[in-house]
Amino acid sequence: MGAPKKPLLLIMLILSDFFVSEILAEGVTKEEAKQLRDEVREMFYHAFDGYMKHAFPRDELKPLSCGGEDTLGGYALTLIDSLDTLALLGDREQFTTSVEWIGKNIRFDINKTVSIFETTIRILGGLLSAHLIASDYNTGMRIPSYDDELLHLAEDLARRMLPAFDTPTGIPFGSVNLMHGVDENESKITSTAGGGTLTLEFGVLSRLTNDPIFEQVTKNAVRGLWARRSRINLVGAHIDVFSGEWTQKDAGIGTSIDSFYEYLLKAYLLFGDEEYLFIFQEAYRAAMVYLYNDPWYVEVNMNSAALVWPLFNSLQAFWPGLQVLAGDIEPAIRTHAAFFSVWKRYGFTPEGFNLATFNVQQGQKSYPLRPELIESTYWLYKATRNPSYLDAGRDMLASLQYAARCTCGYCHISDVEFHQQEDHMESFFLAETVKYLWLLFDLAAGPDNLVENGPYKYIFSTEGHLIPTTPQISLASENCSYLGAYCRSGKLVQETYSSDIVNDFRGTNYSFSGTAATNFFSSPAFHKSPSSGLIKGFCPGLTHGQRYGISYIDSVDNNDAESARTTNVDDEAQNSPVFVNHSSDSQPSDSVENPDNSNYHELMENQRVPQLKIETRETVDEERPRDN
Ligand SMILES: *[C@@H]1O[C@H](CO)[C@@H](O)[C@H](O)[C@H]1NC(C)=O
Ligand SMILES: *[C@@H]1O[C@H](CO)[C@@H](O)[C@H](O)[C@H]1NC(C)=O
Ligand SMILES: *[C@@H]1O[C@H](CO)[C@@H](O)[C@H](O)[C@H]1NC(C)=O
Ligand SMILES: *[C@@H]1O[C@H](CO)[C@@H](O)[C@H](O)[C@H]1NC(C)=O
Ligand SMILES: *[C@@H]1O[C@H](CO)[C@@H](O)[C@H](O)[C@H]1NC(C)=O
C-alpha cells in the first residue's frame, strides 16, 4: 500500500443529513406487488430480447450501441446464463428452443483461455441448472426431446478445466485454455473467491455423473485455502497456487473473497458435507469478530487484524443474504439497512464507498448492474416478511428503470453520482439481478414459481443459478447414510464422519477416513458449541426444511405473517440455525418469529447515521485492482 500515513486518526463522523430517509413505508399491496413483478418480467424481456436480436450468439449485449461482444469464451454466455430465469418465468417456449440450440451448437473444444471462476459459475452453473430443470418432470418444464445434452456439455467443459487444479496446493490456476490446458506463462496468483467458489457446480456434476473427481478437486482447493488461513482464522485476497503464500493479505467479505464464505455454507446445505460446515463456522465467527464494525464490514490485515480499508464494497452486499441462510438475522438486518442507505443516496451502490470520508471511493464509482443488494433484500423479506423490504425492492427497480434502461437493454452506470450509462450488460443482470427482483415481488404477490412452490428446495449458486436439493444431489439415502452424513447416535462423531469422497460416493457405509478432519472436531469451538443442535437436522424424522437448517423460512412461507408470529417454542427449538451465538441464550431468529419487528423501520427512519467508530492509523485513499 503506498498510502500516505496519517497520524492516529479517530474517525468520528456526524453527518446528520446524510441518510435522510425518504422511506415512507407506504407498504406495497399485493396488487402492487403483482404489478411490480410484471414490470420486472417486462424488464427481463427488454434485455433478453435485445440480447437475442443484437448480440446472440456472442457472449454479451452492448445495450447502447445494440451490438454484441465476446467477453468470456464466445459461447453465447448470456443465453446460457439466462436459461433458468426463463424457466422460472414459466417461458416454456424460449426455454425449450434455447436448450435445444445450445445442445446442438455449443462446443468447448476451442482454443480459448478462460477464467475458471467465471466459466464455472456462469457457464457450468447455467448448464447444470438448466439440465436439472429440463430433465425432470417434477419441474413442469421438462423438455420431451431433451437427452442430457447440457449435462454432457457440462461434463466436457469441467474436464477441460481439470488441468488447472494440478498445483502443489490444490488451489487452481485462475485461467485455463479449454484446448491446451494451462498456458505456459499463466499467472500463479489467484483470488480466494476464484479457488473457493467451485464446489457447488463441480459437486453437482460429480453426483450427476457418478464421477467423484470434480467434487474432489474443488473440495481439495477449499482445503488448500483454509489450511493457509491465519492464526485468527482469516483468509487473504490473493494467493500463489504454487508456494501457498498470500500475495494480498487483506481479509474482507467483499471483492476477491466474498463467495468463498458463501460456498462453504451452501456446499454444506446442498451436500450435507459437514467439513464445509465446520470451516464455515470458524470462518464466519472470525469475520464477525474482526471484520464486522456494526453495521459495516471493513478490511483488515489477515494476521494482525489491523484495519486496512474502511471501505464499503458493493460485493459485500450479498452478506446479509448469507446470514439469513445461516440463521443470523439480527446483524443482517442492520447491515442491509446501512448498505441500502448508500443505495438511497446515489440511486445505486458504487463499487466502493469510503467509510472514513462517507464518499464514493475514487476509481470505484460504477454500478455494473450488480445483484447483491437485491439478493439480500429478497432473503430478508423471505425471512422476515417485513414490507419495508418490498419498498426497498421497489426503489431499486425504479432506479434501474429510470437510469439504467437504455435502447436495447440495461446499461452499466459508470458513475453513480452522475448516472452516466456505459455500453455493457453483464450476463449476471439476467441471471441474478432480474431473477431476485422477480422472486421478491412474486413472493409478495402470492408466489407461484419453481423456487417457492416447486418439488424441491433450491440452493442458489453465486451466479443465482437454481440447484435443487434432489435426493440424487443431496441424499443418497434418507437414513443418515448419504454422502457426508452425520447422525448423532450417542457415539463419537468421528464414527460417522467421512471426508473420503471416493469410498463413500455410493453413500451406504461410513468410516472415518479423513485426517484433516480431526482438527475440526477437536477445535475448542466445536466442543463448546451445542453442536447437536447444528447438525441434528440431518437425522431422520425431520422435515426437509429442518434438514437444511432453513426451516424457519418454511414456517413463514407456509403461513401468513400472522400465524408465523405464533410459531411455537418446540418448532423454534428444532429449527436450529446453522449459526449459533455461543455467548448468548437468545434465539438468533427472534426477528423471524416476529415479523413486525420494527428494527428495520427504526433503522431506516430515525435518520441515525450508521457511523464507523474505529480507531485507525491510516486511511487509505488509493485505488486497488478488482478482479470481479
Ligand atoms: C491458440 O491461440 C493462440 C493465441 O490466440 C495461438 O497463438 C495458437 O496458435 C492457437 N493454437 C492452435 C492450436 O490453434
Ligand atoms: C513465456 O515466457 C517466456 C519468458 O518470458 C517466453 O520466452 C515465452 O515465449 C512465453 N511463452 C508464451 C507461450 O507466451
Ligand atoms: C430408513 O428408516 C426407516 C424408518 O426407520 C426404515 O423403515 C427404513 O427401512 C430405513 N431405510 C434404510 C435404507 O435403512
Ligand atoms: C456397513 O459395513 C458393515 C461392516 O462392513 C456391514 O456389516 C454393513 O452391512 C454395512 N452396511 C451397509 C448399509 O452397507
Ligand atoms: C452474541 O451474544 C452476545 C451476548 O449476548 C452479544 O453481545 C453479541 O453481540 C452476540 N453476537 C452476535 C454476532 O450476535
Side-chain angles (χ1 to χ4, degrees), residues 2-113:
K5 292 251 186 224
K6 291 182 185 168
L8 187 73
L9 176 66
L10 179 65
I11 301 171
M12 287 291 295
L13 290 159
I14 300 162
L15 301 171
S16 54
D17 62 340
F18 182 76
F19 291 104
V20 175
S21 169
E22 285 152 43
I23 297 222
L24 302 174
E26 310 94 300
V28 174
T29 63
K30 208 166 181 172
E31 262 321 298
E32 197 184 347
K34 278 187 185 140
Q35 284 165 15
L36 290 165
R37 177 193 63 191
D38 294 343
E39 187 178 340
V40 176
R41 167 185 285 269
E42 192 279 333
M43 169 184 242
F44 175 85
Y45 283 106
H46 175 61
F48 181 78
D49 293 346
Y51 166 77
M52 290 307 287
K53 188 158 173 219
H54 303 289
F56 172 79
R58 307 195 73 171
D59 280 339
E60 287 177 330
L61 171 69
K62 289 169 78 69
L64 264 185
S65 58
C66 302
E69 57 184 337
D70 281 334
T71 47
L72 195 52
Y75 30 50
L77 165 63
T78 299
L79 183 65
I80 294 176
D81 227 4
S82 302
L83 290 174
D84 65 353
T85 312
L86 283 169
L88 188 62
L89 294 176
D91 190 341
R92 175 186 300 279
E93 198 183 316
Q94 297 245 40
F95 179 67
T96 302
T97 32
S98 302
V99 167
E100 285 173 348
W101 186 90
I102 290 164
K104 284 200 190 83
N105 294 282
I106 295 294
R107 294 290 170 269
F108 295 115
D109 51 346
I110 49 177
N111 181 16
K112 284 267 170 72
T113 298

Side-chain angles (χ1 to χ4, degrees), residues 226 229 275 278-279 282 497 516-523 526:
W226 188 241
R229 68 193 180 278
E275 186 167 346
F278 294 120
I279 300 176
E282 296 196 354
Y497 180 79
T518 315
N519 299 335
F520 301 114
F521 289 105
S522 58
S523 82
F526 178 74

Side-chain angles (χ1 to χ4, degrees), residues 261-262 264-266 268-269 276-277 280-285 288 297 318-332 379-380 383 459 533-534 548-553 575-582 587-589 592:
Y261 289 102
E262 179 182 358
L264 290 175
L265 179 58
K266 288 182 174 177
Y268 163 67
L269 293 175
Y276 293 115
L277 174 64
F280 175 76
Q281 288 179 323
E282 296 196 354
Y284 181 80
R285 260 177 221 133
M288 295 307 283
Y297 288 81
F318 84 103
W319 188 261
L322 184 68
Q323 291 182 306
V324 169
L325 282 183
D328 198 12
I329 312 277
E330 294 288 337
W379 284 112
L380 275 164
I459 302 292
L534 298 182
Y548 289 93
I550 49 178
S551 52
Y552 56 91
I553 292 170
N575 298 346
S576 307
V578 171
F579 169 79
V580 171
N581 184 343
H582 302 292
Q587 287 289 324
S589 56
V592 178

Side-chain angles (χ1 to χ4, degrees), residues 434-452:
V434 173
K435 184 183 281 152
Y436 286 119
L437 263 181
W438 189 86
L439 281 168
L440 172 70
F441 295 126
D442 195 53
L443 189 54
D448 181 20
N449 69 63
L450 204 53
V451 170
E452 311 295 345

Side-chain angles (χ1 to χ4, degrees), residues 111 177 179-180:
N111 181 16
N177 184 292
M179 200 177 253
H180 308 299

